[in-house]
Amino acid sequence: FTQNEICTKYDILFEDFPLSSRLMKNGIYQKFAQQYNVSNRINNNIVNLLKDYKWESNEIKIIGSSQKSKKGKKAPELKLNFDRDEWINQVLSSWNNNYPLIPIVVYENRDINKHWIEWVKLISIDEEDNNGNKLYVGVSCRYLDNINKWEITSICLDKGDIENKHRLVGLCEDEKKRYLSNFYNFHTTIAEIQWIRSN
């Protein structure tokens, strides 16, 4: 039903409808809109963010695993070890690709509705699967507006998970197409990543 049809059928007023998340104070879309203009500032900070992060501690959250085939069988999974400096160079070489930072909604505790916006950058890895497909991962970052600082939060290996969290932002169709079109080439069979200290 459209809003008009619901009003006619159930004899209710427009003002009785709940506000769209786009209009709610402190709603998800408003948080996205507030951060959109500062999202590109991460490009000026990414070198320091990558170098300051203690990758070799292997404490970063890794979300998702390799994608299943259409028959539900997993493709052979890769477990990658990266030298810290090698990893940083790969991320930086891919950072200025044509893929925009993709906004997603992250929930810490659904019971108390604690959530925020993070921004995922799709990074190509110098590895291929058995079929010659180039592999990608997502590097997720969060802007802490209360202290005007960026932080790296997780590595994303699941395209479907990123897409679902992106849809929660509540963008209009044209905005969604702009972001979702970038998933066309996203492919990974990476199941695990570990980082080792550079010599």
Side-chain angles (χ1 to χ4, degrees):
F1 290 108
T2 65
Q3 191 176 42
N4 285 332
E5 289 171 339
I6 293 173
C7 288
T8 301
K9 182 176 179 64
Y10 297 102
D11 192 26
I12 61 176
L13 303 175
F14 283 109
E15 51 264 35
D16 292 329
F17 281 86
L19 286 175
S20 164
S21 62
R22 288 171 161 268
L23 302 175
M24 290 173 62
K25 185 178 180 180
N26 296 322
I28 291 173
Y29 184 82
Q30 187 181 55
K31 291 179 180 179
F32 158 75
Q34 289 170 344
Q35 290 198 6
Y36 179 78
N37 290 331
V38 300
S39 62
N40 286 330
R41 294 182 193 171
I42 193 174
N43 296 330
N44 301 324
N45 297 281
I46 189 59
V47 173
N48 289 334
L49 281 174
L50 290 169
K51 290 184 175 180
D52 290 344
Y53 196 93
K54 291 181 171 42
W55 296 101
E56 60 273 19
S57 69
N58 287 293
E59 293 179 354
I60 191 166
K61 184 185 296 183
I62 297 182
I63 300 173
S65 59
S66 61
Q67 298 294 303
K68 291 183 178 180
S69 68
K70 291 182 180 179
K71 294 182 179 180
K73 295 182 179 180
K74 287 186 176 181
E77 296 178 337
L78 294 175
K79 296 182 179 180
L80 302 182
N81 291 320
F82 281 105
D83 171 278
R84 174 183 175 278
D85 290 343
E86 175 193 8
W87 164 256
I88 290 173
N89 288 334
Q90 285 204 34
V91 174
L92 289 177
S93 66
S94 187
W95 192 267
N96 293 321
N97 58 29
N98 293 325
Y99 300 125
L101 288 162
I102 298 169
I104 63 172
V105 176
V106 177
Y107 280 88
E108 181 179 273
N109 189 323
R110 294 179 182 273
D111 294 333
I112 61 174
N113 198 28
K114 185 176 181 180
H115 57 269
W116 58 84
I117 298 290
E118 290 189 9
W119 300 83
V120 178
K121 183 71 174 181
L122 303 185
I123 301 295
S124 60
I125 300 298
D126 290 341
E127 295 283 346
E128 294 182 347
D129 67 8
N130 292 339
N131 296 317
N133 296 308
K134 195 169 185 64
L135 301 180
Y136 287 80
V137 300
V139 176
S140 189
C141 302
R142 180 183 180 187
Y143 178 65
L144 305 171
D145 50 6
N146 58 325
I147 57 174
N148 190 28
K149 182 180 178 181
W150 285 93
E151 66 175 5
I152 297 172
T153 60
S154 62
I155 301 297
C156 307
L157 302 179
D158 189 331
K159 177 172 71 171
D161 183 71
I162 301 173
E163 288 176 320
N164 290 336
K165 290 176 179 176
H166 170 68
R167 290 189 177 95
L168 294 175
V169 179
L171 303 182
C172 65
E173 288 303 314
D174 288 342
E175 290 175 308
K176 277 195 292 189
K177 287 179 182 178
R178 172 175 174 262
Y179 289 108
L180 292 177
S181 63
N182 295 287
F183 287 102
Y184 180 77
N185 291 321
F186 188 102
H187 176 80
T188 191
T189 54
I190 301 171
E192 182 181 340
I193 302 177
Q194 288 195 338
W195 292 267
I196 57 177
R197 187 184 299 275
S198 301
N199 295 326

PDB file of all heavy atoms in Angstrom, residues 4 6 9 13 69 79 94 99-100 103 113 117 121 131 145 154 165 182 195:
ATOM      1  N   ASN A   4      -1.076   7.075   0.913  1.00  0.00           N
ATOM      2  CA  ASN A   4      -2.451   7.543   0.679  1.00  0.00           C
ATOM      3  C   ASN A   4      -3.455   6.409   0.803  1.00  0.00           C
ATOM      4  O   ASN A   4      -4.542   6.571   1.376  1.00  0.00           O
ATOM      5  CB  ASN A   4      -2.566   8.182  -0.710  1.00  0.00           C
ATOM      6  CG  ASN A   4      -1.935   9.567  -0.763  1.00  0.00           C
ATOM      7  OD1 ASN A   4      -1.875  10.263   0.247  1.00  0.00           O
ATOM      8  ND2 ASN A   4      -1.474   9.956  -1.940  1.00  0.00           N
ATOM      9  N   ILE A   6      -3.171   3.656   2.557  1.00  0.00           N
ATOM     10  CA  ILE A   6      -3.299   3.263   3.966  1.00  0.00           C
ATOM     11  C   ILE A   6      -4.192   4.243   4.717  1.00  0.00           C
ATOM     12  O   ILE A   6      -5.053   3.837   5.519  1.00  0.00           O
ATOM     13  CB  ILE A   6      -1.899   3.193   4.624  1.00  0.00           C
ATOM     14  CG1 ILE A   6      -1.088   2.043   4.014  1.00  0.00           C
ATOM     15  CG2 ILE A   6      -2.018   3.006   6.144  1.00  0.00           C
ATOM     16  CD1 ILE A   6       0.351   1.993   4.475  1.00  0.00           C
ATOM     17  N   LYS A   9      -7.819   3.508   3.565  1.00  0.00           N
ATOM     18  CA  LYS A   9      -8.336   2.206   3.981  1.00  0.00           C
ATOM     19  C   LYS A   9      -8.567   2.140   5.493  1.00  0.00           C
ATOM     20  O   LYS A   9      -9.561   1.577   5.967  1.00  0.00           O
ATOM     21  CB  LYS A   9      -7.363   1.107   3.550  1.00  0.00           C
ATOM     22  CG  LYS A   9      -7.830  -0.310   3.890  1.00  0.00           C
ATOM     23  CD  LYS A   9      -6.863  -1.336   3.333  1.00  0.00           C
ATOM     24  CE  LYS A   9      -7.287  -2.758   3.669  1.00  0.00           C
ATOM     25  NZ  LYS A   9      -8.570  -3.130   3.063  1.00  0.00           N
ATOM     26  N   LEU A  13      -4.449   9.497   9.914  1.00  0.00           N
ATOM     27  CA  LEU A  13      -3.888  10.753   9.440  1.00  0.00           C
ATOM     28  C   LEU A  13      -2.415  10.589   9.065  1.00  0.00           C
ATOM     29  O   LEU A  13      -1.727   9.714   9.578  1.00  0.00           O
ATOM     30  CB  LEU A  13      -4.025  11.837  10.514  1.00  0.00           C
ATOM     31  CG  LEU A  13      -5.453  12.108  11.009  1.00  0.00           C
ATOM     32  CD1 LEU A  13      -5.419  13.113  12.164  1.00  0.00           C
ATOM     33  CD2 LEU A  13      -6.334  12.625   9.868  1.00  0.00           C
ATOM     34  N   SER A  69      29.630 -21.117  -3.430  1.00  0.00           N
ATOM     35  CA  SER A  69      29.198 -21.194  -4.819  1.00  0.00           C
ATOM     36  C   SER A  69      27.680 -21.341  -4.875  1.00  0.00           C
ATOM     37  O   SER A  69      27.019 -21.505  -3.861  1.00  0.00           O
ATOM     38  CB  SER A  69      29.853 -22.403  -5.496  1.00  0.00           C
ATOM     39  OG  SER A  69      29.329 -23.600  -4.940  1.00  0.00           O
ATOM     40  N   LYS A  79      44.405 -18.875   3.003  1.00  0.00           N
ATOM     41  CA  LYS A  79      44.858 -18.280   4.246  1.00  0.00           C
ATOM     42  C   LYS A  79      46.130 -17.523   3.926  1.00  0.00           C
ATOM     43  O   LYS A  79      47.131 -18.114   3.495  1.00  0.00           O
ATOM     44  CB  LYS A  79      45.094 -19.351   5.308  1.00  0.00           C
ATOM     45  CG  LYS A  79      43.812 -20.083   5.708  1.00  0.00           C
ATOM     46  CD  LYS A  79      44.063 -21.111   6.800  1.00  0.00           C
ATOM     47  CE  LYS A  79      42.769 -21.807   7.186  1.00  0.00           C
ATOM     48  NZ  LYS A  79      42.971 -22.823   8.262  1.00  0.00           N
ATOM     49  N   SER A  94      46.093   0.573  -3.760  1.00  0.00           N
ATOM     50  CA  SER A  94      44.719   0.367  -4.207  1.00  0.00           C
ATOM     51  C   SER A  94      43.766   1.437  -3.686  1.00  0.00           C
ATOM     52  O   SER A  94      42.630   1.537  -4.144  1.00  0.00           O
ATOM     53  CB  SER A  94      44.237  -1.016  -3.746  1.00  0.00           C
ATOM     54  OG  SER A  94      42.991  -1.335  -4.281  1.00  0.00           O
ATOM     55  N   TYR A  99      36.786   3.125  -6.621  1.00  0.00           N
ATOM     56  CA  TYR A  99      35.724   2.711  -5.712  1.00  0.00           C
ATOM     57  C   TYR A  99      35.557   3.738  -4.596  1.00  0.00           C
ATOM     58  O   TYR A  99      36.521   4.078  -3.908  1.00  0.00           O
ATOM     59  CB  TYR A  99      36.028   1.343  -5.091  1.00  0.00           C
ATOM     60  CG  TYR A  99      36.176   0.237  -6.103  1.00  0.00           C
ATOM     61  CD1 TYR A  99      37.334  -0.539  -6.134  1.00  0.00           C
ATOM     62  CD2 TYR A  99      35.172  -0.022  -7.024  1.00  0.00           C
ATOM     63  CE1 TYR A  99      37.479  -1.561  -7.057  1.00  0.00           C
ATOM     64  CE2 TYR A  99      35.318  -1.041  -7.941  1.00  0.00           C
ATOM     65  CZ  TYR A  99      36.466  -1.801  -7.962  1.00  0.00           C
ATOM     66  OH  TYR A  99      36.600  -2.811  -8.882  1.00  0.00           O
ATOM     67  N   PRO A 100      34.333   4.236  -4.389  1.00  0.00           N
ATOM     68  CA  PRO A 100      34.132   5.192  -3.299  1.00  0.00           C
ATOM     69  C   PRO A 100      34.101   4.492  -1.942  1.00  0.00           C
ATOM     70  O   PRO A 100      33.959   3.268  -1.871  1.00  0.00           O
ATOM     71  CB  PRO A 100      32.748   5.778  -3.614  1.00  0.00           C
ATOM     72  CG  PRO A 100      32.027   4.650  -4.280  1.00  0.00           C
ATOM     73  CD  PRO A 100      33.078   3.932  -5.099  1.00  0.00           C
ATOM     74  N   PRO A 103      29.316   3.570   2.749  1.00  0.00           N
ATOM     75  CA  PRO A 103      28.791   3.678   4.113  1.00  0.00           C
ATOM     76  C   PRO A 103      28.013   2.433   4.510  1.00  0.00           C
ATOM     77  O   PRO A 103      27.243   1.884   3.717  1.00  0.00           O
ATOM     78  CB  PRO A 103      27.863   4.897   4.030  1.00  0.00           C
ATOM     79  CG  PRO A 103      27.405   4.923   2.607  1.00  0.00           C
ATOM     80  CD  PRO A 103      28.562   4.410   1.793  1.00  0.00           C
ATOM     81  N   ASN A 113      19.915  -0.505  20.766  1.00  0.00           N
ATOM     82  CA  ASN A 113      19.933   0.248  19.518  1.00  0.00           C
ATOM     83  C   ASN A 113      21.149   1.156  19.404  1.00  0.00           C
ATOM     84  O   ASN A 113      21.046   2.312  19.002  1.00  0.00           O
ATOM     85  CB  ASN A 113      18.640   1.082  19.384  1.00  0.00           C
ATOM     86  CG  ASN A 113      18.407   1.528  17.944  1.00  0.00           C
ATOM     87  OD1 ASN A 113      18.837   0.853  17.010  1.00  0.00           O
ATOM     88  ND2 ASN A 113      17.751   2.661  17.773  1.00  0.00           N
ATOM     89  N   ILE A 117      27.859   4.755  11.836  1.00  0.00           N
ATOM     90  CA  ILE A 117      28.242   4.619  10.441  1.00  0.00           C
ATOM     91  C   ILE A 117      29.725   4.281  10.361  1.00  0.00           C
ATOM     92  O   ILE A 117      30.548   4.858  11.065  1.00  0.00           O
ATOM     93  CB  ILE A 117      27.981   5.923   9.660  1.00  0.00           C
ATOM     94  CG1 ILE A 117      26.491   6.275   9.666  1.00  0.00           C
ATOM     95  CG2 ILE A 117      28.506   5.822   8.219  1.00  0.00           C
ATOM     96  CD1 ILE A 117      25.621   5.359   8.846  1.00  0.00           C
ATOM     97  N   LYS A 121      36.326   0.632   2.331  1.00  0.00           N
ATOM     98  CA  LYS A 121      37.064   0.816   1.080  1.00  0.00           C
ATOM     99  C   LYS A 121      37.414  -0.549   0.517  1.00  0.00           C
ATOM    100  O   LYS A 121      37.989  -1.406   1.218  1.00  0.00           O
ATOM    101  CB  LYS A 121      38.347   1.608   1.350  1.00  0.00           C
ATOM    102  CG  LYS A 121      39.150   1.917   0.097  1.00  0.00           C
ATOM    103  CD  LYS A 121      38.449   2.955  -0.767  1.00  0.00           C
ATOM    104  CE  LYS A 121      39.343   3.362  -1.939  1.00  0.00           C
ATOM    105  NZ  LYS A 121      38.688   4.377  -2.776  1.00  0.00           N
ATOM    106  N   ASN A 131      40.510 -19.777 -10.332  1.00  0.00           N
ATOM    107  CA  ASN A 131      39.909 -19.456 -11.632  1.00  0.00           C
ATOM    108  C   ASN A 131      40.472 -18.174 -12.227  1.00  0.00           C
ATOM    109  O   ASN A 131      39.975 -17.679 -13.240  1.00  0.00           O
ATOM    110  CB  ASN A 131      38.395 -19.325 -11.482  1.00  0.00           C
ATOM    111  CG  ASN A 131      37.740 -20.625 -11.073  1.00  0.00           C
ATOM    112  OD1 ASN A 131      38.084 -21.696 -11.595  1.00  0.00           O
ATOM    113  ND2 ASN A 131      36.801 -20.554 -10.139  1.00  0.00           N
ATOM    114  N   ASP A 145      33.502  11.477  15.621  1.00  0.00           N
ATOM    115  CA  ASP A 145      33.321  12.920  15.503  1.00  0.00           C
ATOM    116  C   ASP A 145      33.548  13.665  16.809  1.00  0.00           C
ATOM    117  O   ASP A 145      33.857  14.859  16.812  1.00  0.00           O
ATOM    118  CB  ASP A 145      31.924  13.259  14.938  1.00  0.00           C
ATOM    119  CG  ASP A 145      30.803  12.556  15.666  1.00  0.00           C
ATOM    120  OD1 ASP A 145      31.073  11.901  16.683  1.00  0.00           O
ATOM    121  OD2 ASP A 145      29.661  12.665  15.207  1.00  0.00           O
ATOM    122  N   SER A 154      37.942  -2.914  11.071  1.00  0.00           N
ATOM    123  CA  SER A 154      37.809  -4.324  10.693  1.00  0.00           C
ATOM    124  C   SER A 154      38.222  -4.554   9.251  1.00  0.00           C
ATOM    125  O   SER A 154      38.353  -3.609   8.461  1.00  0.00           O
ATOM    126  CB  SER A 154      36.362  -4.803  10.899  1.00  0.00           C
ATOM    127  OG  SER A 154      35.479  -4.068  10.075  1.00  0.00           O
ATOM    128  N   LYS A 165      24.581  -4.412   5.245  1.00  0.00           N
ATOM    129  CA  LYS A 165      24.804  -3.298   6.172  1.00  0.00           C
ATOM    130  C   LYS A 165      24.706  -1.959   5.461  1.00  0.00           C
ATOM    131  O   LYS A 165      24.296  -0.956   6.055  1.00  0.00           O
ATOM    132  CB  LYS A 165      26.167  -3.452   6.852  1.00  0.00           C
ATOM    133  CG  LYS A 165      26.230  -4.601   7.837  1.00  0.00           C
ATOM    134  CD  LYS A 165      27.619  -4.777   8.419  1.00  0.00           C
ATOM    135  CE  LYS A 165      27.648  -5.919   9.428  1.00  0.00           C
ATOM    136  NZ  LYS A 165      29.024  -6.165   9.939  1.00  0.00           N
ATOM    137  N   ASN A 182      29.638  -0.895  -7.313  1.00  0.00           N
ATOM    138  CA  ASN A 182      31.049  -1.164  -7.080  1.00  0.00           C
ATOM    139  C   ASN A 182      31.314  -2.583  -6.584  1.00  0.00           C
ATOM    140  O   ASN A 182      32.460  -3.003  -6.494  1.00  0.00           O
ATOM    141  CB  ASN A 182      31.607  -0.155  -6.070  1.00  0.00           C
ATOM    142  CG  ASN A 182      31.582   1.254  -6.605  1.00  0.00           C
ATOM    143  OD1 ASN A 182      32.370   1.621  -7.467  1.00  0.00           O
ATOM    144  ND2 ASN A 182      30.649   2.055  -6.122  1.00  0.00           N
ATOM    145  N   TRP A 195      49.065 -11.143   9.942  1.00  0.00           N
ATOM    146  CA  TRP A 195      50.132 -10.199   9.632  1.00  0.00           C
ATOM    147  C   TRP A 195      51.353 -10.530  10.468  1.00  0.00           C
ATOM    148  O   TRP A 195      51.226 -10.891  11.651  1.00  0.00           O
ATOM    149  CB  TRP A 195      49.676  -8.765   9.922  1.00  0.00           C
ATOM    150  CG  TRP A 195      48.616  -8.299   8.996  1.00  0.00           C
ATOM    151  CD1 TRP A 195      48.778  -7.613   7.834  1.00  0.00           C
ATOM    152  CD2 TRP A 195      47.197  -8.481   9.134  1.00  0.00           C
ATOM    153  NE1 TRP A 195      47.569  -7.367   7.234  1.00  0.00           N
ATOM    154  CE2 TRP A 195      46.569  -7.896   8.020  1.00  0.00           C
ATOM    155  CE3 TRP A 195      46.385  -9.095  10.110  1.00  0.00           C
ATOM    156  CZ2 TRP A 195      45.198  -7.876   7.834  1.00  0.00           C
ATOM    157  CZ3 TRP A 195      45.024  -9.090   9.924  1.00  0.00           C
ATOM    158  CH2 TRP A 195      44.436  -8.488   8.799  1.00  0.00           C
TER     159      TRP A 195
END
